[in-house]
Amino acid sequence: MSNALKRATLSRLLDNKAAGITNVLIALQSPYDVADFIKQSDATIFCYHAVLTKNPETGQVSSPAYDALANILTGIETASGRLPVSLKRSD
């Protein structure tokens, strides 16, 4: 992520916080994608194994990881688990 994009993202997160808007960060590939912004988030979701598969009969594209993420975001399932790495909240 470029420094300009990082600054813009941080600015948006801080503006959201000031306005009372909940910030939820979702990392779809690597936990390090959102590491710089964890302190400004109210919740962080890490989603892995985002391999897309296409049903040859219907043409529908899906991913078990994205399906699980959708279920968490809509309240069908509760998120749980631990990262195999530690991320610090930077100041």
Side-chain angles (χ1 to χ4, degrees):
M1 181 181 290
S2 71
N3 285 336
L5 184 54
K6 282 184 181 183
R7 283 191 302 275
T9 302
L10 181 58
S11 177
R12 175 63 62 92
L13 291 169
L14 292 172
D15 288 349
N16 285 353
K17 263 204 180 301
I21 297 170
T22 301
N23 289 317
V24 178
L25 300 178
I26 301 171
L28 298 175
Q29 296 290 327
S30 166
Y32 304 107
D33 292 343
V34 297
D36 293 334
F37 311 112
I38 289 177
K39 186 174 182 180
Q40 289 76 32
S41 71
D42 297 294
T44 308
I45 299 172
F46 301 96
C47 183
Y48 297 102
H49 192 62
V51 177
L52 297 175
T53 57
K54 185 175 183 178
N55 183 319
E57 293 177 13
T58 65
Q60 182 177 359
V61 177
S62 67
S63 163
Y66 290 168
D67 292 345
L69 177 60
N71 288 342
I72 289 166
L73 293 174
T74 57
I76 294 171
E77 294 181 29
T78 301
S80 65
R82 296 185 62 86
L83 285 174
V85 297
S86 295
L87 298 175
K88 293 182 183 178
R89 288 181 177 250
S90 60
D91 293 330

